[in-house]
Amino acid sequence: MAACTVYSTCSVSSPTTTKTHFNFIFHNPRTTTTRNNKNRAAQISCSVTEPQTVVIGLAADSGCGKSTFMRRLTSVFGGAAEPPKGGNPDSNTLISDTTTVICLDDYHSLDRTGRKEKGVTALDPRANDFDLMYEQVKAIKNGVAVEKPIYNHVTGLLDPPELIQPPKILVVEGLHPMYDPRVRELLDFSIYLDISNEVKFAWKIQRDMAERGHSLESIKASIESRKPDFDAYIDPQKQYADAVIEVLPTQLIPGDNEGKVLRVRLIMKEGVKYFSPVYLFDEGSTISWIPCGRKLTCSYPGIKFFYGPDSYYSNEVSVLEMDGQFDRLDELIYVESHLSNLSTKFYGEVTQQMLKHADFPGSSNGTGLFQTIVGLKIRDLYEQIIAEKASAPLEAAKV
Ligand SMILES: Nc1ncnc2c1ncn2[C@@H]1O[C@H](COP(=O)(O)OP(=O)(O)OP(=O)(O)O)[C@@H](O)[C@H]1O
Ligand SMILES: O=C(CO)[C@H](O)[C@H](O)COP(=O)(O)O
């Protein structure tokens, strides 16, 4: 077994002690011998009972804003994410003080040539190793380091593995974080970025044509060839997500097909442990709000918010919607002051985060706003889980 650091609850028995519970850090999750507080040798048998790494799933198709979301999330924790130091320069992993983001493309079981030979896309479950994905996410969640494979997007080959140490928060992002029920079960919170076809097309053109030199025809062909597998294997995962960020064309400009102004909906599942949905004005009511006027500058076509209860794949949800875009990001504070349950640590934290990353895609519309809010909710969820675990041994000791 790989060397690792495991935090767990242990029972101690020695000639002078009866059973005591305490938190202990050890480097091999079996049985070890140490000294108790009276400096006597004590046999300690430990079982890994409490998962230590909080696991977040982020699902979306390629080019739908996962990397941008990850940069916003990492920033909420106050750090920048970087690839593993001294490792494979084509690694897909990003590490910060609090978070490690692994890309599930690393569990492709077929490389680019293999997929071509077999006539399957990367979205097809047959091109992915879900057994290994499950084993490794479970191990990390339980505090055990793993040797994770690397899928090299530059060469299209499977490279030698890299060591992933258990972080405080593990984010598994990619095409299939909620596809396999065993992996899904390991997620403490899950998010789906649901980008409508029209918007996905506009973003792809912007990136792949402007930045990567692809032709319009090849972009269209790539989207079309992925669509059947996207519909079969990726899209259905949204029914399992705790939060969905849905990105649609605006309704403020009749017949708009430019994809520049967006209608963005944050769909939040009710009754999820450690997650209380954000609301506008009054929780549970239905509200339509045009904030433009004296306190918020809006040029054409303006901004419209909506909030209300709804049902999504038979689940009770709350929906917060923003159509339009901000002219002046500093005025976002006006909107922020009307939202509740934001899990901010101080007044104006959402606005501050948005201003900090004003150059990220989507900063002037609901994509940036809702990604920032979900980032704050994940921080809050993490802090609640950690606080609960910290108090668990004390409660057990009292008993
Ligand atoms: N909120 C947004 N508003 C406008 N454009 C966006 C937004 N988010 C992403 N994009 C566009 O989509 C491109 C891809 O974004 P990003 O790299 O975050 O996606 P990704 O899902 O990580 O992509 P991939 O899986 O291909 O690496 C960006 O370069 C940008 O052009
Ligand atoms: O959908 C994808 C996830 O990002 C990629 O298309 C998939 O990983 C295959 O990669 P490549 O384009 O290198 O063949």
Side-chain angles (χ1 to χ4, degrees):
M1 177 175 298
C4 61
T5 301
V6 175
Y7 299 78
S8 84
T9 302
C10 304
S11 307
V12 181
S13 54
S14 75
T16 53
T17 54
T18 49
K19 282 196 171 169
T20 317
H21 285 88
F22 63 100
N23 275 338
F24 188 70
I25 304 167
F26 63 110
H27 290 274
N28 194 339
R30 287 186 199 141
T31 303
T32 189
T33 301
T34 189
R35 303 209 159 256
N36 65 13
N37 59 2
K38 288 186 181 150
N39 210 24
R40 288 189 193 96
Q43 191 65 26
I44 303 182
S45 66
C46 302
S47 60
V48 184
T49 51
E50 297 287 336
Q52 289 302 310
T53 293
V54 171
V55 186
I56 309 294
L58 173 65
D61 197 4
S62 160
C64 286
K66 297 184 297 292
S67 312
T68 311
F69 185 14
M70 283 303 99
R71 287 197 287 163
R72 288 190 197 278
L73 174 69
T74 311
S75 165
V76 162
F77 287 95
E82 287 175 0
K85 285 202 176 62
N88 185 331
D90 294 330
S91 166
N92 301 307
T93 302
L94 286 172
I95 300 175
S96 73
D97 288 349
T98 320
T99 58
T100 292
V101 181
I102 61 169
C103 175
L104 296 179
D105 294 350
D106 289 334
Y107 293 99
H108 288 338
S109 50
L110 296 174
D111 63 11
R112 203 175 285 156
T113 314
R115 289 195 299 271
K116 211 170 175 186
E117 279 167 8
K118 289 223 159 56
V120 293
T121 71
L123 301 93
D124 191 315
R126 287 172 295 174
N128 296 278
D129 187 344
F130 287 100
D131 290 343
L132 185 64
M133 188 192 294
Y134 165 62
E135 287 305 331
Q136 296 206 330
V137 175
K138 185 170 80 167
I140 296 174
K141 189 168 172 127
N142 286 330
V144 178
V146 301
E147 293 275 353
K148 181 188 63 54
I150 299 176
Y151 173 71
N152 189 322
H153 281 98
V154 180
T155 61
L157 298 171
L158 296 164
D159 281 355
E162 62 185 356
L163 183 69
I164 303 291
Q165 297 284 359
K168 291 177 181 159
I169 301 176
L170 175 74
V171 183
V172 292
E173 63 96 349
L175 298 170
H176 303 100
M178 285 96 90
Y179 180 82
D180 184 299
R182 297 167 302 169
V183 180
R184 200 158 69 223
E185 194 57 32
L186 295 170
L187 304 177
D188 293 292
F189 193 74
S190 54
I191 306 131
Y192 186 92
L193 300 182
D194 188 8
I195 316 297
S196 66
N197 287 333
E198 300 93 317
V199 176
K200 202 190 280 187
F201 188 54
W203 288 3
K204 273 260 178 208
I205 289 175
Q206 185 188 318
R207 183 180 73 169
D208 294 354
M209 230 171 130
E211 296 169 24
R212 299 186 178 174
H214 297 186
S215 69
L216 188 63
E217 287 65 38
S218 72
I219 297 169
K220 269 188 192 157
S222 148
I223 292 182
E224 283 310 312
S225 66
R226 290 169 71 97
K227 194 154 184 332
D229 283 353
F230 174 79
D231 290 344
Y233 309 118
I234 313 303
D235 192 64
Q237 292 175 91
K238 62 191 183 196
Q239 66 188 291
Y240 305 116
D242 297 315
V244 175
I245 299 179
E246 197 174 79
V247 185
L248 303 152
T250 183
Q251 287 183 335
L252 299 173
I253 308 171
D256 178 74
N257 54 11
E258 260 195 274
K260 284 205 176 113
V261 182
L262 300 173
R263 177 163 78 103
V264 188
R265 287 158 58 83
L266 175 58
I267 302 164
M268 301 163 280
K269 214 181 247 179
E270 292 288 340
V272 175
K273 200 173 178 197
Y274 311 117
F275 174 65
S276 52
V278 174
Y279 63 89
L280 180 64
F281 293 110
D282 191 20
E283 191 170 13
S285 57
T286 298
I287 287 160
S288 205
W289 182 43
I290 296 176
C292 306
R294 290 200 188 113
K295 293 179 182 159
L296 193 78
T297 315
C298 299
S299 54
Y300 179 80
I303 297 179
K304 196 170 176 182
F305 275 85
F306 168 85
Y307 163 76
D310 207 338
S311 120
Y312 186 78
Y313 288 98
S314 309
N315 291 307
E316 200 190 328
V317 296
S318 284
V319 178
L320 179 63
E321 178 181 313
M322 176 184 161
D323 196 349
Q325 55 194 27
F326 300 111
D327 278 6
R328 293 188 44 181
L329 259 192
D330 54 337
E331 290 177 352
L332 171 61
I333 189 74
Y334 173 63
V335 171
E336 180 176 352
S337 64
H338 290 83
L339 292 168
S340 299
N341 261 351
L342 285 169
S343 299
T344 46
K345 289 203 189 286
F346 53 88
Y347 178 70
E349 192 178 9
V350 173
T351 306
Q352 189 204 59
Q353 280 294 330
M354 291 281 285
L355 283 168
K356 201 165 143 190
H357 302 299
D359 57 330
F360 284 9
S363 287
S364 61
N365 62 39
T367 58
L369 175 62
F370 295 158
Q371 287 178 3
T372 302
I373 290 175
V374 174
L376 292 166
K377 299 307 287 186
I378 290 173
R379 181 182 69 187
D380 186 46
L381 173 122
Y382 166 72
E383 288 177 355
Q384 286 184 60
I385 293 176
I386 292 307
E388 195 174 281
K389 273 182 201 150
S391 65
L394 292 175
E395 293 306 315
K398 279 188 210 157
V399 172

